[in-house]
């Protein structure tokens, strides 16, 4: 066996899988180290991918040449486009996955990726020489050499599980924790802290009375995650189910609050604000009489159900008592209880935008180790870390994404600029340019970038070019085709839209909120004929074209704003200023600028506590 590699990735979760396949597909000899080869890509919490802003990240991963979108489509058992009642900047894809099939698809992917080997083991120590990582040592006593190392340890670093007073060491339930790396990195000078997350119990579907629940079906239209034509949803599609807690549920939870690790001092670490435990909800929102819950199937051939909204670390009996007060769950049988888990993470301000650490060269961090939460945030980081780990081995310009280019760019810039004081979760509200970062145009934004660095395939690039050509042709047709009142007025009246008094272009009608391209094609034979010439992805192209036409003015304005602010991103300042000696800066500004050492003026301006006057002082210093 060869023990020398270009890139070694530690951990085979969502960050690790994307990092390893990215580095290998770009040409690096890569090793993926995991504790258990049967749990590659494990969905530790709910069996779902995507959601508000998270779905955009997955589409960006796919557009660049990553795999999460493909794996999700192949394991999908329900798909929904969230926020369809709002504008397209808010539309967010979400998919329920068959948990077992999701793992199997990732195993197939990593096992059949050229240049990628897998080793089942635990890493105990990094080998660092002259401020540079050069390899690692495993629990089995093997020393591997590497030019770059990507650490994606998830919740496994010093992981500790809580179920009431019961505590177990582990990275997930029934899985061992990892020790040694945190202590080593702390001794080198890395800043670390503890975070907390949790998961609900799992219920046997045979004990659920579905007749009392509200069914939530999925959408069986053309939408999916991957832009690749050959990626499809092929599994049986299943429903989720809705129920609610009630006052009896809350009373049972209150009886056990004194035994909750979150409230009796047993857990001291930082928990997620936007995905709180059920006991936190009862305390924080004491006036609410009920909380909505979603019962999500774990797979086509499984009876296991996930209770979305009921994350808990209460004692087992308290969990059972509370759950059995809920409509439809009166006879619920548990497969396993919910639990909280504490784990080590590293302050992400210690990273560059490439996700390489500032302190140790060629060492990259990605995923929950950086203080994030969610499969999607982890996958996006893993992809960027894997790309740059490869570049560090073979040369080339570092690969980063701007805040105006991708949600992944927003995510990483937030982490390395602002740090985290709670598990970071992506929202559309975090992006200044969310109209530019829609889920429908991720391929238009990013596939050419992925192809240029050797990650996106020629097939993916060619599919994009075909789509662009067809979409441009359809757009031009709609903008240049005229319509007369006599040819359309009867149709407009039937759609409660005002009649035309004069002829106009088809694009003017598309701008009306009641009308869409597919709708107009029913009344305009020439438009229907044009649509019939589209060889593939017809519905996808129609939707994307319609969005561009309806929101063209807003999109142009947002691009102009982004371009103006981009000038600050092009002014590099790292290493050019001794902030501690600049007395005209406030004490807070000097301390924060010295700690973060921002790469550009733009990044400096986003550091919490840095005022516009501080930015002006830096610009004056650069002028001198």
């Amino acid at each position: 066996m060869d023990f020398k590699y270009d890139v070694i990735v530690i951990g085979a979760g969502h960050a690790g899988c994307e990092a390893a396949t990215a580095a290998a597909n770009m040409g690096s000899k890569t090793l993926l180290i995991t504790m258990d080869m049967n749990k590659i890509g494990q969905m530790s919490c709910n069996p779902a991918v995507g959601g508000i802003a998270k779905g955009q990240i997955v589409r960006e991963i796919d557009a660049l040449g990553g795999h999460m979108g493909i794996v999700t489509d192949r394991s999908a058992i329900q798909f929904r486009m969230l926020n369809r009642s709002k504008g397209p900047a808010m539309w967010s894809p979400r998919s329920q996955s068959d948990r077992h099939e999701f793992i199997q698809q990732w195993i197939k992917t990593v096992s059949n990726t050229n240049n990628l080997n897998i080793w089942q083991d635990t890493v105990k120590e990094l080998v660092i020489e002259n401020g540079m990582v050069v390899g690692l040592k495993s629990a089995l006593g093997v020393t591997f050499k590497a030019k770059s190392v990507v650490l994606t340890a998830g919740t496994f670093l010093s992981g500790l599980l809580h179920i009431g007073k019961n505590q177990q060491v582990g990275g997930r339930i029934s899985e061992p924790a990892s020790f040694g790396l945190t202590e080593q990195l702390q001794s080198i000078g890395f800043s670390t802290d503890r975070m907390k997350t949790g998961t609900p119990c799992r219920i046997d579907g045979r004990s659920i009375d579905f007749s009392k629940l509200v069914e939530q079906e999925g959408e069986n239209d053309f939408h999916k995650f991957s832009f690749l034509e050959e990626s499809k949803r092929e599994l049986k599609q299943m429903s989720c189910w809705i129920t609610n807690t009630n006052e009896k549920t809350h009373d049972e939870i209150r009886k056990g609050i004194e035994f909750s690790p979150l409230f009796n001092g047993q857990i001291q670490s930082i928990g997620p604000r936007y995905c709180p435990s059920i006991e936190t909800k009862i305390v924080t929102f004491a006036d609410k009489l009920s909380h909505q819950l979603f019962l999500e199937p774990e797979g086509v051939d499984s009876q296991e159900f996930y209770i979305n909204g009921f994350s808990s670390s209460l004692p087992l009996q308290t969990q059972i008592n509370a759950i059995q007060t809920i409509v439809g769950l009166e006879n619920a049988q548990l497969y396993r209880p919910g639990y909280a888990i504490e784990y080590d993470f590293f302050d992400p301000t210690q990273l560059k935008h490439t996700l390489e650490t500032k302190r140790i060269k060629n060492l990259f961090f990605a995923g929950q180790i950086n203080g994030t939460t969610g499969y999607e945030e982890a996958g996006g980081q893993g992809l960027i870390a894997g790309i740059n780990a490869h570049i560090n081995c073979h040369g080339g310009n570092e690969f980063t994404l701007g805040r105006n280019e991708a949600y992944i760019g927003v995510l990483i810039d937030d982490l390395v600029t602002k740090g985290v004081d709670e598990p970071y979760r992506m929202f559309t509200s975090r992006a200044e340019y969310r109209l530019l970062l829609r889920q429908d145009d991720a391929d238009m934004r990013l596939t050419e970038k992925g192809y240029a660095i050797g990650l996106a395939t020629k097939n993916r690039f060619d599919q994009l070019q075909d789509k662009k050509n067809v979409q441009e042709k359809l757009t031009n047709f709609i903008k240049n085709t005229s319509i007369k009142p006599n040819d359309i007025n009867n149709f407009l009246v039937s759609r409660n839209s005002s009649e035309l008094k004069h002829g106009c272009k088809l694009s003017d009608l598309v701008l009306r909120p009641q009308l869409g391209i597919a709708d107009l094609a029913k009344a305009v034979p020439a438009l229907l004929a044009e649509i019939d010439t589209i060889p593939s992805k017809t519905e996808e192209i129609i939707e994307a074209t319609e969005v561009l036409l309806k929101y063209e003015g807003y999109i142009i304005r947002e691009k102009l704003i982004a371009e103006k602010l981009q000038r600050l991103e092009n002014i590099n300042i790292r290493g050019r200023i001794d902030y501690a000696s600049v007395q005209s800066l406030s004490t807070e500004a000097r301390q924060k600028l010295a700690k973060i050492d921002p790469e550009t003026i733009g990044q400096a301006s986003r550091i919490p506590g840095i005022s516009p006057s501080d930015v002006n002082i830096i610009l004056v210093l650069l002028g001198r």
Side-chain angles (χ1 to χ4, degrees), residues 206-217:
R206 294 169 297 181
S207 65
I208 299 172
D209 187 347
F210 292 102
S211 67
K212 297 180 178 179
L213 307 182
V214 177
E215 185 173 10
Q216 183 187 59
E217 295 182 286

Side-chain angles (χ1 to χ4, degrees), residues 540-574:
E540 178 183 321
I541 288 169
I542 289 173
E543 181 179 82
T545 303
E546 190 171 306
V547 168
L548 288 174
L549 288 169
K550 284 183 179 292
Y551 295 88
E552 185 175 33
Y554 299 102
I555 292 170
I556 290 172
R557 185 174 67 181
E558 197 156 283
K559 281 182 178 178
L560 289 174
I561 295 171
E563 287 167 3
K564 287 180 181 179
L565 293 177
Q566 188 63 27
R567 296 169 191 168
L568 294 179
E569 303 296 341
N570 296 328
I571 303 176
N572 294 314
I573 59 174
R574 175 163 287 169

Side-chain angles (χ1 to χ4, degrees), residues 152-427:
T152 70
T155 59
F156 281 77
L157 291 182
S158 307
L160 181 63
L161 281 62
H162 300 264
I163 305 171
K165 291 183 178 180
N166 181 276
Q167 294 178 299
Q168 297 179 23
V169 172
R172 278 190 293 255
I173 196 164
S174 302
E175 296 182 50
S178 177
F179 297 94
L181 289 176
T182 299
E183 294 77 9
Q184 179 190 12
L185 292 169
Q186 278 180 321
S187 70
I188 295 171
F190 281 88
S191 173
T192 184
D193 206 338
R194 299 279 281 174
M195 274 192 178
K196 169 262 171 188
T197 189
T199 191
C201 66
R202 307 302 197 272
I203 292 179
D204 187 334
R206 294 169 297 181
S207 65
I208 299 172
D209 187 347
F210 292 102
S211 67
K212 297 180 178 179
L213 307 182
V214 177
E215 185 173 10
Q216 183 187 59
E217 295 182 286
E219 300 169 1
N220 292 310
D221 61 8
F222 67 94
H223 289 106
K224 57 191 179 70
F225 271 106
S226 179
F227 289 98
L228 288 176
E229 203 172 321
E230 54 269 30
S231 179
K232 302 181 186 301
R233 286 186 278 142
E234 298 177 342
L235 296 184
K236 174 187 174 184
Q237 298 299 287
M238 303 181 69
S239 294
C240 293
W241 303 84
I242 301 172
T243 186
N244 292 273
T245 63
N246 53 61
E247 292 184 68
K248 290 183 180 179
T249 314
H250 300 180
D251 288 341
E252 291 295 335
I253 291 170
R254 291 188 188 101
K255 290 177 186 177
I257 283 290
E258 63 180 299
F259 305 108
S260 168
L262 296 174
F263 294 100
N264 64 11
Q266 189 171 310
I267 291 178
Q268 298 289 333
S269 51
I270 310 163
R273 179 196 307 263
Y274 299 106
C275 189
S277 67
I278 189 64
E279 52 265 42
T280 301
K281 291 179 186 177
I282 300 308
V283 172
T284 306
F285 308 105
D287 58 327
K288 287 203 69 172
L289 301 180
S290 69
H291 294 276
Q292 191 173 60
L293 306 175
F294 294 86
L295 299 183
E296 301 174 347
E298 297 263 352
V300 172
D301 298 316
S302 173
Q303 290 293 343
E304 198 170 348
F305 275 78
Y306 175 98
I307 314 182
N308 193 334
F310 206 91
S311 175
S312 179
S313 57
L314 288 164
L316 172 59
Q317 192 59 52
T318 302
Q319 292 188 41
I320 294 172
N321 292 344
I323 285 168
Q324 291 185 343
T325 66
I326 297 170
V327 172
L329 304 182
E330 294 88 351
N331 299 305
Q333 293 292 315
L334 274 60
Y335 282 118
R336 59 186 181 277
Y339 61 87
I341 180 169
E342 291 184 284
Y343 56 94
D344 295 337
F345 80 98
F346 292 85
D347 180 356
T349 63
Q350 300 170 106
L351 303 173
K352 302 175 183 177
H353 279 78
T354 59
L355 297 182
E356 182 183 21
T357 68
K358 297 174 182 176
R359 194 173 292 274
I360 301 296
K361 184 170 174 52
N362 294 333
L363 175 62
F364 297 79
F365 291 169
Q368 285 184 272
I369 191 174
N370 291 335
T372 62
T373 180
Y375 312 143
E376 305 82 4
E377 290 89 343
Q381 292 173 71
L383 191 73
I384 299 301
I387 290 169
N388 285 297
H390 164 83
I391 290 171
N392 276 20
C393 294
H394 302 281
N397 297 324
E398 63 183 31
F399 186 82
T400 60
L401 295 169
R403 297 180 71 90
N404 63 326
E405 294 178 308
Y407 271 94
I408 295 173
V410 175
L411 162 67
I412 292 175
D413 185 63
D414 278 352
L415 292 176
V416 305
T417 301
K418 302 175 182 178
V420 293
D421 56 9
E422 61 185 87
Y424 181 100
R425 179 177 181 174
M426 179 54 72
F427 293 103

